[in-house]
Amino acid sequence: MAETANTAGASKAANDAQEAMKKQIAELRREITKINRTLSDRAEEAQGWYDSAAERASRAARQLRSQAHTVTETVQQNPGTISSAMMLGGVLGVLLGIVIAKSSEPERRWF
């Protein structure tokens, strides 16, 4: 009779442990499902962000290409004006550099 009680007690303990494991597995499955949903939502957000960034980059590239084409045409049509403007800018840059260099040097007095 004692063996039957021990067997019944062990069987009940095994069933309880099995039920507890089933509950934990079910809970873990629910958590994994929630995580998968969250990841899916984040992936959709990232895809939307990527698509909008790609579109903006494409528009910016088209705009830059258009402006570069306009500048190229202007330079080709007015080579003298452009070269004169570049020379004037270079001369002004040199003069500005000389003025800054002179103002930063301490005066040398020999007396």
Side-chain angles (χ1 to χ4, degrees):
M1 185 63 119
E3 287 181 23
T4 312
N6 286 341
T7 307
S11 176
K12 182 166 173 34
N15 285 340
D16 289 345
Q18 191 175 15
E19 288 299 317
M21 266 197 208
K22 285 181 182 179
K23 286 180 183 179
Q24 287 179 348
I25 289 171
E27 185 178 331
L28 288 173
R29 283 184 178 158
R30 285 191 298 271
E31 287 182 27
I32 289 173
T33 302
K34 287 179 186 178
I35 290 170
N36 284 339
R37 274 192 234 126
T38 302
L39 287 174
S40 176
D41 292 345
R42 298 278 168 94
E44 288 175 9
E45 289 174 14
Q47 183 65 35
W49 179 83
Y50 174 78
D51 290 342
S52 66
E55 178 62 30
R56 286 191 301 258
S58 176
R59 276 188 269 141
R62 282 193 302 263
Q63 184 67 26
L64 286 172
R65 193 176 314 121
S66 172
Q67 290 176 357
H69 183 68
T70 302
V71 169
T72 302
E73 285 181 353
T74 303
V75 169
Q76 287 175 350
Q77 292 173 359
N78 304 307
T81 305
I82 299 301
S83 61
S84 297
M86 294 296 278
M87 289 292 288
L88 180 62
V91 169
L92 288 175
V94 168
L95 290 175
L96 184 63
I98 290 172
V99 168
I100 291 172
K102 289 286 185 182
S103 67
S104 66
E105 282 184 14
E107 288 188 31
R108 296 182 183 164
R109 296 185 184 200
W110 296 99
F111 56 94

